[in-house]
């Protein structure tokens, strides 16, 4: 069911420092910061040859990563995103297996303008998983 | 400098349950458990089209992931591994930038029989990074 690893998301307390680290010290290709107010984050994309790292910083008062950064002030790996061919079929299969889908269970349009869902970390080895329609 | 994302490692409290989750519920291709006593882990490889997920379970009394699992009893994302063309050059560049390399700074032979190093999470956005010679 799951396909490519679309990205690994890392929450960061300081975007400038994060861009300098990945773009400078680690020598990767990084984008400019991109505000995504609908998602409550500003993102820097790190392009690797086979996938992306997304450096996320809170934007606005209700950022979904604010709590995570409060608990992890140095930052940390926030989630992984797997691609699926059919997000509704994937959701139904997961729910039928007893796994919890976050929110109301309806896909939202994610940061790449594609439908996404998040799965409950307690049902997935302590890992927050985003599913994105491929 | 960094190249492909070689893998994402997830520490898991129960290998059988983890194999059933990734191989069954999430429908990915998973290997049999592989004991790696030198590394203090038993590993299940999850093959995705563009990278791997490694499900790690402690093996032996001095497993490097035992403490992590004690703090994260449901499991969690333990590290990411980036490939580099020249691990000694990468190490020297990172040390010159002030970043800390774990252990004695000399590459060890990792789980894929290639030289690896681990970088200090405090210097890398709260993320434990493994570098592997490509």
């Amino acid at each position: 069911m799951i396909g490519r690893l679309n990205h690994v998301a890392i929450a960061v307390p300081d975007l400038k420092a994060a861009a300098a680290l990945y773009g400078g010290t680690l020598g990767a290709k990084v984008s400019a910061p991109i505000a995504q107010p609908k998602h409550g984050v500003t993102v820097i994309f790190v392009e690797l040859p086979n996938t992306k790292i997304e450096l996320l910083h809170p934007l606005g008062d209700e950022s979904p990563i604010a709590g995570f950064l409060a608990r992890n002030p140095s930052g940390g790996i926030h989630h992984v995103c797997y691609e699926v061919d059919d997000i509704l079929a994937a959701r139904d299969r997961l729910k039928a297996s007893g796994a919890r889908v976050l929110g109301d269970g309806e896909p939202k349009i994610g940061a790449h303008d594609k439908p996404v869902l998040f799965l409950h970390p307690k049902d997935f080895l302590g890992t927050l998983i985003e599913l994105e329609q491929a």
Side-chain angles (χ1 to χ4, degrees), chain A:
Chain A
M1 186 173 74
I2 57 171
R4 291 178 75 256
L5 177 75
N6 185 277
H7 62 267
V8 177
I10 300 176
V12 306
D14 179 334
L15 265 186
K16 259 194 189 165
L21 184 68
Y22 268 85
T25 311
L26 290 171
K29 185 178 171 191
V30 301
S31 76
I34 300 168
Q36 301 191 319
K38 274 190 197 166
H39 299 288
V41 291
T42 302
V43 184
I44 288 174
F45 294 97
V46 180
E47 284 186 37
L48 302 182
N50 61 333
T51 190
K52 291 191 296 283
I53 308 295
E54 296 189 5
L55 306 173
L56 307 180
H57 187 70
L59 176 64
D61 293 335
E62 295 187 24
S63 174
I65 62 166
F68 180 87
L69 272 175
R71 292 189 303 277
N72 302 277
S74 303
I77 301 174
H78 185 261
H79 68 265
V80 291
C81 175
Y82 300 129
E83 297 178 2
V84 292
D85 285 333
D86 182 335
I87 199 165
L88 294 177
R91 173 197 65 186
D92 293 345
R93 171 172 165 164
L94 293 170
K95 286 176 78 169
S97 78
R100 284 167 286 180
V101 175
L102 295 184
D104 63 6
E106 293 307 315
K108 303 283 184 289
I109 297 303
H112 312 129
D113 292 325
K114 293 180 176 177
V116 302
L117 283 172
F118 283 88
L119 310 180
H120 199 303
K122 290 272 181 201
D123 295 338
F124 291 91
L125 310 170
T127 302
L128 179 60
I129 293 178
E130 181 180 14
L131 295 182
E132 180 175 296
Q133 176 94 36

PDB file of all heavy atoms in Angstrom, chain A residues 46-82:
ATOM      1  N   VAL A  46      14.520  20.768   1.726  1.00  0.00           N
ATOM      2  CA  VAL A  46      15.874  20.290   1.463  1.00  0.00           C
ATOM      3  C   VAL A  46      15.743  19.188   0.415  1.00  0.00           C
ATOM      4  O   VAL A  46      15.093  18.165   0.663  1.00  0.00           O
ATOM      5  CB  VAL A  46      16.526  19.715   2.738  1.00  0.00           C
ATOM      6  CG1 VAL A  46      17.938  19.214   2.427  1.00  0.00           C
ATOM      7  CG2 VAL A  46      16.524  20.739   3.861  1.00  0.00           C
ATOM      8  N   GLU A  47      16.332  19.430  -0.753  1.00  0.00           N
ATOM      9  CA  GLU A  47      16.196  18.449  -1.837  1.00  0.00           C
ATOM     10  C   GLU A  47      17.350  17.480  -1.818  1.00  0.00           C
ATOM     11  O   GLU A  47      18.492  17.848  -2.062  1.00  0.00           O
ATOM     12  CB  GLU A  47      16.176  19.169  -3.194  1.00  0.00           C
ATOM     13  CG  GLU A  47      14.853  19.829  -3.478  1.00  0.00           C
ATOM     14  CD  GLU A  47      14.803  20.398  -4.886  1.00  0.00           C
ATOM     15  OE1 GLU A  47      15.353  19.763  -5.811  1.00  0.00           O
ATOM     16  OE2 GLU A  47      14.244  21.494  -5.033  1.00  0.00           O
ATOM     17  N   LEU A  48      17.038  16.227  -1.536  1.00  0.00           N
ATOM     18  CA  LEU A  48      18.036  15.161  -1.649  1.00  0.00           C
ATOM     19  C   LEU A  48      17.765  14.415  -2.960  1.00  0.00           C
ATOM     20  O   LEU A  48      16.709  14.580  -3.561  1.00  0.00           O
ATOM     21  CB  LEU A  48      17.930  14.219  -0.442  1.00  0.00           C
ATOM     22  CG  LEU A  48      18.117  14.884   0.926  1.00  0.00           C
ATOM     23  CD1 LEU A  48      18.037  13.847   2.035  1.00  0.00           C
ATOM     24  CD2 LEU A  48      19.428  15.648   1.008  1.00  0.00           C
ATOM     25  N   PRO A  49      18.727  13.610  -3.423  1.00  0.00           N
ATOM     26  CA  PRO A  49      18.522  12.958  -4.722  1.00  0.00           C
ATOM     27  C   PRO A  49      17.288  12.067  -4.776  1.00  0.00           C
ATOM     28  O   PRO A  49      16.697  11.894  -5.834  1.00  0.00           O
ATOM     29  CB  PRO A  49      19.794  12.132  -4.905  1.00  0.00           C
ATOM     30  CG  PRO A  49      20.823  12.820  -4.068  1.00  0.00           C
ATOM     31  CD  PRO A  49      20.087  13.382  -2.887  1.00  0.00           C
ATOM     32  N   ASN A  50      16.898  11.479  -3.648  1.00  0.00           N
ATOM     33  CA  ASN A  50      15.789  10.519  -3.695  1.00  0.00           C
ATOM     34  C   ASN A  50      14.555  10.920  -2.906  1.00  0.00           C
ATOM     35  O   ASN A  50      13.526  10.242  -2.988  1.00  0.00           O
ATOM     36  CB  ASN A  50      16.263   9.135  -3.221  1.00  0.00           C
ATOM     37  CG  ASN A  50      16.779   9.140  -1.793  1.00  0.00           C
ATOM     38  OD1 ASN A  50      17.263  10.173  -1.303  1.00  0.00           O
ATOM     39  ND2 ASN A  50      16.695   8.028  -1.124  1.00  0.00           N
ATOM     40  N   THR A  51      14.629  11.983  -2.118  1.00  0.00           N
ATOM     41  CA  THR A  51      13.471  12.398  -1.328  1.00  0.00           C
ATOM     42  C   THR A  51      13.717  13.815  -0.805  1.00  0.00           C
ATOM     43  O   THR A  51      14.671  14.477  -1.241  1.00  0.00           O
ATOM     44  CB  THR A  51      13.189  11.402  -0.169  1.00  0.00           C
ATOM     45  OG1 THR A  51      11.921  11.701   0.430  1.00  0.00           O
ATOM     46  CG2 THR A  51      14.285  11.410   0.876  1.00  0.00           C
ATOM     47  N   LYS A  52      12.854  14.294   0.064  1.00  0.00           N
ATOM     48  CA  LYS A  52      13.009  15.641   0.615  1.00  0.00           C
ATOM     49  C   LYS A  52      13.033  15.598   2.143  1.00  0.00           C
ATOM     50  O   LYS A  52      12.406  14.739   2.754  1.00  0.00           O
ATOM     51  CB  LYS A  52      11.793  16.514   0.239  1.00  0.00           C
ATOM     52  CG  LYS A  52      11.657  16.869  -1.205  1.00  0.00           C
ATOM     53  CD  LYS A  52      10.591  17.946  -1.396  1.00  0.00           C
ATOM     54  CE  LYS A  52       9.202  17.512  -1.003  1.00  0.00           C
ATOM     55  NZ  LYS A  52       8.514  16.633  -1.972  1.00  0.00           N
ATOM     56  N   ILE A  53      13.733  16.549   2.709  1.00  0.00           N
ATOM     57  CA  ILE A  53      13.590  16.856   4.126  1.00  0.00           C
ATOM     58  C   ILE A  53      12.847  18.174   4.196  1.00  0.00           C
ATOM     59  O   ILE A  53      13.148  19.102   3.438  1.00  0.00           O
ATOM     60  CB  ILE A  53      14.966  16.990   4.824  1.00  0.00           C
ATOM     61  CG1 ILE A  53      15.856  15.763   4.558  1.00  0.00           C
ATOM     62  CG2 ILE A  53      14.796  17.244   6.310  1.00  0.00           C
ATOM     63  CD1 ILE A  53      15.359  14.468   5.125  1.00  0.00           C
ATOM     64  N   GLU A  54      11.861  18.273   5.075  1.00  0.00           N
ATOM     65  CA  GLU A  54      11.143  19.531   5.241  1.00  0.00           C
ATOM     66  C   GLU A  54      11.434  20.076   6.629  1.00  0.00           C
ATOM     67  O   GLU A  54      11.168  19.410   7.635  1.00  0.00           O
ATOM     68  CB  GLU A  54       9.636  19.318   5.052  1.00  0.00           C
ATOM     69  CG  GLU A  54       9.323  18.861   3.630  1.00  0.00           C
ATOM     70  CD  GLU A  54       7.837  18.828   3.308  1.00  0.00           C
ATOM     71  OE1 GLU A  54       7.027  19.257   4.158  1.00  0.00           O
ATOM     72  OE2 GLU A  54       7.492  18.388   2.200  1.00  0.00           O
ATOM     73  N   LEU A  55      12.015  21.263   6.658  1.00  0.00           N
ATOM     74  CA  LEU A  55      12.320  21.917   7.934  1.00  0.00           C
ATOM     75  C   LEU A  55      11.144  22.830   8.258  1.00  0.00           C
ATOM     76  O   LEU A  55      10.846  23.773   7.517  1.00  0.00           O
ATOM     77  CB  LEU A  55      13.618  22.714   7.808  1.00  0.00           C
ATOM     78  CG  LEU A  55      14.823  21.903   7.298  1.00  0.00           C
ATOM     79  CD1 LEU A  55      16.030  22.815   7.047  1.00  0.00           C
ATOM     80  CD2 LEU A  55      15.180  20.790   8.280  1.00  0.00           C
ATOM     81  N   LEU A  56      10.461  22.539   9.359  1.00  0.00           N
ATOM     82  CA  LEU A  56       9.216  23.229   9.709  1.00  0.00           C
ATOM     83  C   LEU A  56       9.418  24.142  10.904  1.00  0.00           C
ATOM     84  O   LEU A  56       9.974  23.738  11.929  1.00  0.00           O
ATOM     85  CB  LEU A  56       8.127  22.213  10.097  1.00  0.00           C
ATOM     86  CG  LEU A  56       7.812  21.071   9.132  1.00  0.00           C
ATOM     87  CD1 LEU A  56       6.711  20.192   9.737  1.00  0.00           C
ATOM     88  CD2 LEU A  56       7.408  21.612   7.783  1.00  0.00           C
ATOM     89  N   HIS A  57       8.902  25.363  10.772  1.00  0.00           N
ATOM     90  CA  HIS A  57       8.941  26.312  11.874  1.00  0.00           C
ATOM     91  C   HIS A  57       7.523  26.842  12.081  1.00  0.00           C
ATOM     92  O   HIS A  57       6.805  27.080  11.109  1.00  0.00           O
ATOM     93  CB  HIS A  57       9.905  27.462  11.528  1.00  0.00           C
ATOM     94  CG  HIS A  57      10.139  28.405  12.661  1.00  0.00           C
ATOM     95  ND1 HIS A  57      10.845  28.057  13.791  1.00  0.00           N
ATOM     96  CD2 HIS A  57       9.738  29.687  12.853  1.00  0.00           C
ATOM     97  CE1 HIS A  57      10.885  29.091  14.618  1.00  0.00           C
ATOM     98  NE2 HIS A  57      10.223  30.085  14.072  1.00  0.00           N
ATOM     99  N   PRO A  58       7.118  27.051  13.339  1.00  0.00           N
ATOM    100  CA  PRO A  58       5.743  27.501  13.589  1.00  0.00           C
ATOM    101  C   PRO A  58       5.458  28.845  12.939  1.00  0.00           C
ATOM    102  O   PRO A  58       6.306  29.735  12.909  1.00  0.00           O
ATOM    103  CB  PRO A  58       5.667  27.617  15.118  1.00  0.00           C
ATOM    104  CG  PRO A  58       6.782  26.783  15.635  1.00  0.00           C
ATOM    105  CD  PRO A  58       7.866  26.838  14.602  1.00  0.00           C
ATOM    106  N   LEU A  59       4.230  28.976  12.440  1.00  0.00           N
ATOM    107  CA  LEU A  59       3.746  30.237  11.872  1.00  0.00           C
ATOM    108  C   LEU A  59       2.357  30.474  12.436  1.00  0.00           C
ATOM    109  O   LEU A  59       1.480  29.623  12.304  1.00  0.00           O
ATOM    110  CB  LEU A  59       3.700  30.136  10.341  1.00  0.00           C
ATOM    111  CG  LEU A  59       3.122  31.344   9.591  1.00  0.00           C
ATOM    112  CD1 LEU A  59       3.992  32.572   9.794  1.00  0.00           C
ATOM    113  CD2 LEU A  59       2.998  31.041   8.094  1.00  0.00           C
ATOM    114  N   GLY A  60       2.182  31.624  13.077  1.00  0.00           N
ATOM    115  CA  GLY A  60       0.864  31.949  13.623  1.00  0.00           C
ATOM    116  C   GLY A  60       0.660  31.366  15.019  1.00  0.00           C
ATOM    117  O   GLY A  60       1.541  30.705  15.572  1.00  0.00           O
ATOM    118  N   ASP A  61      -0.519  31.639  15.571  1.00  0.00           N
ATOM    119  CA  ASP A  61      -0.787  31.309  16.974  1.00  0.00           C
ATOM    120  C   ASP A  61      -1.218  29.867  17.193  1.00  0.00           C
ATOM    121  O   ASP A  61      -1.212  29.383  18.320  1.00  0.00           O
ATOM    122  CB  ASP A  61      -1.874  32.231  17.527  1.00  0.00           C
ATOM    123  CG  ASP A  61      -1.399  33.672  17.612  1.00  0.00           C
ATOM    124  OD1 ASP A  61      -0.178  33.868  17.707  1.00  0.00           O
ATOM    125  OD2 ASP A  61      -2.249  34.587  17.575  1.00  0.00           O
ATOM    126  N   GLU A  62      -1.622  29.182  16.123  1.00  0.00           N
ATOM    127  CA  GLU A  62      -2.143  27.829  16.332  1.00  0.00           C
ATOM    128  C   GLU A  62      -1.378  26.815  15.496  1.00  0.00           C
ATOM    129  O   GLU A  62      -1.967  25.925  14.890  1.00  0.00           O
ATOM    130  CB  GLU A  62      -3.636  27.781  15.998  1.00  0.00           C
ATOM    131  CG  GLU A  62      -4.436  28.649  16.959  1.00  0.00           C
ATOM    132  CD  GLU A  62      -5.937  28.488  16.765  1.00  0.00           C
ATOM    133  OE1 GLU A  62      -6.367  27.429  16.259  1.00  0.00           O
ATOM    134  OE2 GLU A  62      -6.669  29.408  17.126  1.00  0.00           O
ATOM    135  N   SER A  63      -0.084  26.990  15.486  1.00  0.00           N
ATOM    136  CA  SER A  63       0.735  26.078  14.678  1.00  0.00           C
ATOM    137  C   SER A  63       0.634  24.655  15.221  1.00  0.00           C
ATOM    138  O   SER A  63       0.729  24.434  16.440  1.00  0.00           O
ATOM    139  CB  SER A  63       2.194  26.516  14.685  1.00  0.00           C
ATOM    140  OG  SER A  63       2.971  25.533  14.015  1.00  0.00           O
ATOM    141  N   PRO A  64       0.471  23.670  14.339  1.00  0.00           N
ATOM    142  CA  PRO A  64       0.400  22.274  14.803  1.00  0.00           C
ATOM    143  C   PRO A  64       1.726  21.743  15.341  1.00  0.00           C
ATOM    144  O   PRO A  64       1.753  20.669  15.937  1.00  0.00           O
ATOM    145  CB  PRO A  64      -0.034  21.503  13.549  1.00  0.00           C
ATOM    146  CG  PRO A  64       0.392  22.365  12.408  1.00  0.00           C
ATOM    147  CD  PRO A  64       0.278  23.791  12.889  1.00  0.00           C
ATOM    148  N   ILE A  65       2.804  22.501  15.161  1.00  0.00           N
ATOM    149  CA  ILE A  65       4.083  22.001  15.684  1.00  0.00           C
ATOM    150  C   ILE A  65       4.564  22.770  16.914  1.00  0.00           C
ATOM    151  O   ILE A  65       5.639  22.475  17.437  1.00  0.00           O
ATOM    152  CB  ILE A  65       5.199  21.995  14.606  1.00  0.00           C
ATOM    153  CG1 ILE A  65       5.493  23.405  14.099  1.00  0.00           C
ATOM    154  CG2 ILE A  65       4.847  21.073  13.443  1.00  0.00           C
ATOM    155  CD1 ILE A  65       6.782  23.492  13.311  1.00  0.00           C
ATOM    156  N   ALA A  66       3.740  23.720  17.397  1.00  0.00           N
ATOM    157  CA  ALA A  66       4.174  24.520  18.559  1.00  0.00           C
ATOM    158  C   ALA A  66       4.379  23.631  19.789  1.00  0.00           C
ATOM    159  O   ALA A  66       5.368  23.770  20.517  1.00  0.00           O
ATOM    160  CB  ALA A  66       3.160  25.623  18.845  1.00  0.00           C
ATOM    161  N   GLY A  67       3.447  22.731  20.031  1.00  0.00           N
ATOM    162  CA  GLY A  67       3.559  21.864  21.205  1.00  0.00           C
ATOM    163  C   GLY A  67       4.780  20.963  21.122  1.00  0.00           C
ATOM    164  O   GLY A  67       5.491  20.763  22.119  1.00  0.00           O
ATOM    165  N   PHE A  68       5.026  20.443  19.940  1.00  0.00           N
ATOM    166  CA  PHE A  68       6.189  19.571  19.741  1.00  0.00           C
ATOM    167  C   PHE A  68       7.484  20.315  20.054  1.00  0.00           C
ATOM    168  O   PHE A  68       8.374  19.790  20.733  1.00  0.00           O
ATOM    169  CB  PHE A  68       6.205  19.056  18.291  1.00  0.00           C
ATOM    170  CG  PHE A  68       7.355  18.142  17.974  1.00  0.00           C
ATOM    171  CD1 PHE A  68       7.261  16.771  18.203  1.00  0.00           C
ATOM    172  CD2 PHE A  68       8.535  18.638  17.439  1.00  0.00           C
ATOM    173  CE1 PHE A  68       8.330  15.924  17.908  1.00  0.00           C
ATOM    174  CE2 PHE A  68       9.601  17.801  17.151  1.00  0.00           C
ATOM    175  CZ  PHE A  68       9.503  16.442  17.382  1.00  0.00           C
ATOM    176  N   LEU A  69       7.576  21.566  19.571  1.00  0.00           N
ATOM    177  CA  LEU A  69       8.808  22.335  19.831  1.00  0.00           C
ATOM    178  C   LEU A  69       8.924  22.727  21.296  1.00  0.00           C
ATOM    179  O   LEU A  69      10.041  22.837  21.824  1.00  0.00           O
ATOM    180  CB  LEU A  69       8.857  23.575  18.944  1.00  0.00           C
ATOM    181  CG  LEU A  69       9.494  23.356  17.571  1.00  0.00           C
ATOM    182  CD1 LEU A  69       9.389  24.620  16.735  1.00  0.00           C
ATOM    183  CD2 LEU A  69      10.951  22.916  17.686  1.00  0.00           C
ATOM    184  N   ALA A  70       7.783  22.930  21.962  1.00  0.00           N
ATOM    185  CA  ALA A  70       7.846  23.225  23.399  1.00  0.00           C
ATOM    186  C   ALA A  70       8.435  22.027  24.147  1.00  0.00           C
ATOM    187  O   ALA A  70       9.196  22.187  25.101  1.00  0.00           O
ATOM    188  CB  ALA A  70       6.446  23.575  23.925  1.00  0.00           C
ATOM    189  N   ARG A  71       8.075  20.820  23.685  1.00  0.00           N
ATOM    190  CA  ARG A  71       8.602  19.603  24.335  1.00  0.00           C
ATOM    191  C   ARG A  71      10.013  19.274  23.858  1.00  0.00           C
ATOM    192  O   ARG A  71      10.758  18.582  24.542  1.00  0.00           O
ATOM    193  CB  ARG A  71       7.693  18.401  24.042  1.00  0.00           C
ATOM    194  CG  ARG A  71       6.325  18.470  24.691  1.00  0.00           C
ATOM    195  CD  ARG A  71       5.565  17.143  24.543  1.00  0.00           C
ATOM    196  NE  ARG A  71       5.391  16.717  23.158  1.00  0.00           N
ATOM    197  CZ  ARG A  71       4.428  17.150  22.339  1.00  0.00           C
ATOM    198  NH1 ARG A  71       3.548  18.047  22.771  1.00  0.00           N
ATOM    199  NH2 ARG A  71       4.348  16.706  21.100  1.00  0.00           N
ATOM    200  N   ASN A  72      10.376  19.750  22.667  1.00  0.00           N
ATOM    201  CA  ASN A  72      11.687  19.443  22.064  1.00  0.00           C
ATOM    202  C   ASN A  72      12.340  20.746  21.604  1.00  0.00           C
ATOM    203  O   ASN A  72      12.366  21.055  20.410  1.00  0.00           O
ATOM    204  CB  ASN A  72      11.503  18.507  20.858  1.00  0.00           C
ATOM    205  CG  ASN A  72      10.819  17.205  21.207  1.00  0.00           C
ATOM    206  OD1 ASN A  72      11.443  16.264  21.662  1.00  0.00           O
ATOM    207  ND2 ASN A  72       9.492  17.161  21.036  1.00  0.00           N
ATOM    208  N   PRO A  73      12.846  21.519  22.547  1.00  0.00           N
ATOM    209  CA  PRO A  73      13.307  22.871  22.210  1.00  0.00           C
ATOM    210  C   PRO A  73      14.472  22.915  21.222  1.00  0.00           C
ATOM    211  O   PRO A  73      14.653  23.936  20.558  1.00  0.00           O
ATOM    212  CB  PRO A  73      13.692  23.484  23.556  1.00  0.00           C
ATOM    213  CG  PRO A  73      13.733  22.366  24.529  1.00  0.00           C
ATOM    214  CD  PRO A  73      12.882  21.256  24.000  1.00  0.00           C
ATOM    215  N   SER A  74      15.237  21.853  21.086  1.00  0.00           N
ATOM    216  CA  SER A  74      16.309  21.833  20.077  1.00  0.00           C
ATOM    217  C   SER A  74      15.773  21.470  18.699  1.00  0.00           C
ATOM    218  O   SER A  74      16.509  21.504  17.717  1.00  0.00           O
ATOM    219  CB  SER A  74      17.378  20.801  20.434  1.00  0.00           C
ATOM    220  OG  SER A  74      17.918  21.042  21.704  1.00  0.00           O
ATOM    221  N   GLY A  75      14.491  21.075  18.624  1.00  0.00           N
ATOM    222  CA  GLY A  75      13.917  20.551  17.396  1.00  0.00           C
ATOM    223  C   GLY A  75      13.895  19.041  17.428  1.00  0.00           C
ATOM    224  O   GLY A  75      14.283  18.423  18.437  1.00  0.00           O
ATOM    225  N   GLY A  76      13.442  18.434  16.335  1.00  0.00           N
ATOM    226  CA  GLY A  76      13.411  16.973  16.270  1.00  0.00           C
ATOM    227  C   GLY A  76      12.609  16.509  15.075  1.00  0.00           C
ATOM    228  O   GLY A  76      11.929  17.305  14.423  1.00  0.00           O
ATOM    229  N   ILE A  77      12.738  15.214  14.798  1.00  0.00           N
ATOM    230  CA  ILE A  77      11.981  14.645  13.669  1.00  0.00           C
ATOM    231  C   ILE A  77      10.504  14.597  14.062  1.00  0.00           C
ATOM    232  O   ILE A  77      10.143  13.994  15.072  1.00  0.00           O
ATOM    233  CB  ILE A  77      12.496  13.241  13.316  1.00  0.00           C
ATOM    234  CG1 ILE A  77      13.991  13.305  12.958  1.00  0.00           C
ATOM    235  CG2 ILE A  77      11.694  12.671  12.135  1.00  0.00           C
ATOM    236  CD1 ILE A  77      14.620  11.936  12.745  1.00  0.00           C
ATOM    237  N   HIS A  78       9.671  15.253  13.275  1.00  0.00           N
ATOM    238  CA  HIS A  78       8.257  15.412  13.623  1.00  0.00           C
ATOM    239  C   HIS A  78       7.381  14.332  12.993  1.00  0.00           C
ATOM    240  O   HIS A  78       6.499  13.792  13.649  1.00  0.00           O
ATOM    241  CB  HIS A  78       7.794  16.808  13.190  1.00  0.00           C
ATOM    242  CG  HIS A  78       6.398  17.117  13.597  1.00  0.00           C
ATOM    243  ND1 HIS A  78       5.335  17.004  12.738  1.00  0.00           N
ATOM    244  CD2 HIS A  78       5.881  17.525  14.781  1.00  0.00           C
ATOM    245  CE1 HIS A  78       4.217  17.352  13.370  1.00  0.00           C
ATOM    246  NE2 HIS A  78       4.523  17.662  14.610  1.00  0.00           N
ATOM    247  N   HIS A  79       7.583  14.064  11.712  1.00  0.00           N
ATOM    248  CA  HIS A  79       6.796  13.003  11.063  1.00  0.00           C
ATOM    249  C   HIS A  79       7.485  12.517   9.792  1.00  0.00           C
ATOM    250  O   HIS A  79       8.436  13.142   9.312  1.00  0.00           O
ATOM    251  CB  HIS A  79       5.358  13.472  10.762  1.00  0.00           C
ATOM    252  CG  HIS A  79       5.218  14.540   9.724  1.00  0.00           C
ATOM    253  ND1 HIS A  79       5.148  15.885  10.022  1.00  0.00           N
ATOM    254  CD2 HIS A  79       5.128  14.477   8.370  1.00  0.00           C
ATOM    255  CE1 HIS A  79       5.008  16.586   8.903  1.00  0.00           C
ATOM    256  NE2 HIS A  79       4.996  15.762   7.883  1.00  0.00           N
ATOM    257  N   VAL A  80       6.992  11.398   9.284  1.00  0.00           N
ATOM    258  CA  VAL A  80       7.383  10.918   7.967  1.00  0.00           C
ATOM    259  C   VAL A  80       6.128  10.891   7.102  1.00  0.00           C
ATOM    260  O   VAL A  80       5.016  10.734   7.616  1.00  0.00           O
ATOM    261  CB  VAL A  80       8.020   9.503   8.011  1.00  0.00           C
ATOM    262  CG1 VAL A  80       9.375   9.546   8.681  1.00  0.00           C
ATOM    263  CG2 VAL A  80       7.102   8.495   8.685  1.00  0.00           C
ATOM    264  N   CYS A  81       6.318  11.088   5.798  1.00  0.00           N
ATOM    265  CA  CYS A  81       5.176  11.107   4.883  1.00  0.00           C
ATOM    266  C   CYS A  81       5.361  10.047   3.803  1.00  0.00           C
ATOM    267  O   CYS A  81       6.351  10.080   3.064  1.00  0.00           O
ATOM    268  CB  CYS A  81       5.041  12.490   4.246  1.00  0.00           C
ATOM    269  SG  CYS A  81       3.738  12.575   2.987  1.00  0.00           S
ATOM    270  N   TYR A  82       4.412   9.120   3.750  1.00  0.00           N
ATOM    271  CA  TYR A  82       4.422   8.068   2.736  1.00  0.00           C
ATOM    272  C   TYR A  82       3.362   8.386   1.689  1.00  0.00           C
ATOM    273  O   TYR A  82       2.270   8.843   2.014  1.00  0.00           O
ATOM    274  CB  TYR A  82       4.081   6.712   3.360  1.00  0.00           C
ATOM    275  CG  TYR A  82       5.022   6.255   4.445  1.00  0.00           C
ATOM    276  CD1 TYR A  82       4.533   5.833   5.682  1.00  0.00           C
ATOM    277  CD2 TYR A  82       6.395   6.219   4.239  1.00  0.00           C
ATOM    278  CE1 TYR A  82       5.384   5.384   6.689  1.00  0.00           C
ATOM    279  CE2 TYR A  82       7.258   5.781   5.237  1.00  0.00           C
ATOM    280  CZ  TYR A  82       6.751   5.359   6.466  1.00  0.00           C
ATOM    281  OH  TYR A  82       7.607   4.930   7.460  1.00  0.00           O
TER     282      TYR A  82
END
